[in-house]
Amino acid sequence: MDYYTTQLLAMRRSFIELNAGFNKFIGMKFVNGNDNVIMLRNKYLTFEAKRKDMESIANNICIFSEKAQDRGIDFLYVQNPTKLDKYDNQMPFGADDNENMNADDLVKALNKKGVNCLDLRELMQQQGIDHYSAFFRTDHHWKPETGIWATGEIIKKMNEISGLNMDSSVGDISKYNIEVYKNYMLGSQGRNVGLNYADPEDISVITPKQNNKQYKARYYEFSTSYTEEGDFKEAFLEMSTLDKIDYYNVSVYSTYFYGNHERASIENKNADNDIRILYIPDSFSNSVIPYMAAAVKYIDVVDIRYFNGSLETFIEKNKPDMIVVAYNPSTFSNSVGGAFDFR
């Protein structure tokens, strides 16, 4: 009954836009909906987040790391950033930066437990990266340019831990062609408040200048699967999402890696190594994994928010050299699946 009287309500989109437009007119910084949206002081949008007790999450990661190392598998937890800069809190009066506080608690607990951890928020601060320009204004994701930077930094940390000597220069943005699609992007937060409240923005499609590698990527969607094979664009980019502008029905961030999947398996046919990585991501890594694929022979991707199988059995079967878990703080309270159930 709730679904039919809300999601299928006649003129639903018009009512949402009318509500958001009125809120903007009177200066409201909060827009209530399925996910409450907050306008920051710098006009960026973000989702409201709740404070969480991170101890059980930290314990789960620690146990998973120990089990991996018992099998001779190196482990790394990557703390992806949230749109909110912990060093430049742009929240309006009355709102708290719960996502960064949750992430701080988790990173502190993991460091205390001796888990290998890379906090990309701190690297952004140390390298003087303008935090907010690294993100979309209307979406919770970082820009693909930021994903490429993150790829290089993650590989550097992986090399430091494992000695696998992967090519971290895949994170060098100068090695890529950038094609900008003007005003194609209305992100998850922008769609929640509508065009009366948020303006569309640009999104880049970023491809290697030396596009001489061939890939085979198999994507698993619950009971079905499909294979994309060829060069970078053919294997990793769903270009049909950019055929036309459709703000409310198409998420153009899902151009990267064909969106979210239960799992995926990638083979770099031109790799000069036999390295196999197990990557456990949220959607932030959709703009990381395709670029990392240039540096390794195999990447297995398991999104355990959607995966219903046994992760332990999967690891026993595929025997990765290293496991990477990479989450952004919004995943801590995400209603989809058990993101920290590594059984």
Side-chain angles (χ1 to χ4, degrees):
M1 181 63 71
D2 178 70
Y3 176 80
Y4 280 100
T5 56
T6 55
Q7 302 299 316
L8 300 182
L9 181 69
M11 299 180 63
R12 175 179 181 273
R13 175 56 56 189
S14 297
F15 284 122
I16 290 173
E17 290 188 345
L18 181 64
N19 174 63
F22 176 74
N23 285 356
K24 185 177 183 180
F25 176 74
I26 65 174
M28 285 285 291
K29 302 299 182 184
F30 298 82
V31 180
N32 294 328
N34 290 337
D35 292 298
N36 295 337
V37 175
I38 301 172
M39 178 178 280
L40 304 180
R41 295 197 303 272
N42 59 7
K43 307 303 182 184
Y44 278 65
L45 302 178
T46 191
F47 287 130
E48 185 180 35
K50 296 180 180 180
R51 196 76 168 93
K52 295 275 290 186
D53 181 356
M54 303 303 295
E55 189 61 33
S56 62
I57 290 176
N59 287 336
N60 282 5
I61 296 173
C62 183
I63 292 168
F64 187 42
S65 172
E66 290 172 350
K67 287 184 176 180
Q69 291 171 338
D70 288 344
R71 293 185 172 98
I73 303 170
D74 292 311
F75 180 88
L76 173 64
Y77 175 78
V78 178
Q79 183 57 72
N80 288 335
T82 178
K83 181 186 285 187
L84 289 162
D85 183 355
K86 63 180 286 188
Y87 296 102
D88 181 18
N89 186 353
Q90 291 288 318
M91 276 289 201
F93 179 78
D96 295 319
D97 181 5
N98 290 323
E99 288 190 332
N100 274 311
M101 287 190 284
N102 290 338
D104 286 344
D105 288 349
L106 177 59
V107 171
K108 182 179 179 180
L110 292 180
N111 287 333
K112 186 176 180 180
K113 295 174 186 294
V115 177
N116 290 322
C117 184
L118 174 64
D119 191 344
L120 290 176
R121 301 172 305 156
E122 299 301 330
L123 275 184
M124 293 177 75
Q125 174 71 12
Q126 293 165 14
Q127 296 181 20
I129 294 173
D130 182 44
H131 189 102
Y132 288 102
S133 65
F135 283 79
F136 292 106
R137 286 181 292 102
T138 66
D139 197 69
H140 63 288
H141 294 109
W142 53 20
K143 295 177 180 177
E145 290 90 340
T146 316
I148 291 174
W149 165 81
T151 304
E153 297 300 332
I154 293 168
I155 290 176
K156 289 176 188 176
K157 187 67 174 180
M158 292 168 70
N159 286 340
E160 177 187 319
I161 294 168
S162 66
L164 290 174
N165 198 29
M166 294 173 285
D167 181 12
S168 64
S169 72
V170 296
D172 182 355
I173 194 67
S174 68
K175 291 189 171 186
Y176 298 90
N177 295 314
I178 302 176
E179 183 178 3
V180 178
Y181 284 74
K182 292 284 188 179
N183 296 326
Y184 264 69
M185 177 81 173
L186 186 69
S188 55
Q189 292 143 352
R191 291 193 299 273
N192 269 28
V193 298
L195 290 168
N196 281 341
Y197 200 93
D199 296 322
E201 54 189 319
D202 304 339
I203 186 170
S204 301
V205 172
I206 306 176
T207 53
K209 289 179 179 177
Q210 292 187 345
N211 195 22
N212 54 0
K213 287 184 169 63
Q214 294 289 303
Y215 302 92
K216 182 178 180 181
R218 189 163 186 83
Y219 301 100
Y220 296 83
E221 309 256 346
F222 306 106
S223 60
T224 64
S225 64
Y226 61 94
T227 300
E228 301 292 344
E229 195 165 359
D231 64 13
F232 181 91
K233 182 177 282 189
E234 292 167 329
F236 300 125
L237 299 181
E238 176 55 276
M239 295 302 297
S240 66
T241 59
L242 299 168
D243 286 346
K244 64 178 182 179
I245 293 176
D246 188 353
Y247 293 129
Y248 291 126
N249 298 306
V250 176
S251 169
V252 294
Y253 182 77
S254 64
T255 301
Y256 285 87
F257 204 49
Y258 290 81
N260 294 334
H261 310 281
E262 176 188 358
R263 62 187 180 93
S265 58
I266 303 166
E267 178 185 358
N268 175 351
K269 296 183 177 182
N270 304 108
D272 57 2
N273 58 60
D274 289 317
I275 298 169
R276 182 180 288 272
I277 303 299
L278 171 58
Y279 214 94
I280 300 174
D282 57 27
S283 55
F284 269 52
S285 295
N286 292 353
S287 57
V288 170
I289 293 166
Y291 302 99
M292 185 175 288
V296 298
K297 180 69 173 178
Y298 303 103
I299 300 181
D300 295 309
V301 181
V302 178
D303 189 332
I304 58 176
R305 297 175 300 170
Y306 309 105
F307 182 61
N308 291 321
S310 166
L311 187 61
E312 292 181 358
T313 301
F314 186 90
I315 292 169
E316 282 295 324
K317 178 180 178 182
N318 291 280
K319 295 179 171 55
D321 297 293
M322 189 167 192
I323 297 173
V324 178
V325 177
Y327 287 146
N328 84 91
S330 66
T331 300
F332 302 155
S333 55
N334 195 308
S335 60
V336 179
F340 295 92
D341 185 353
F342 302 107
R343 291 172 294 178

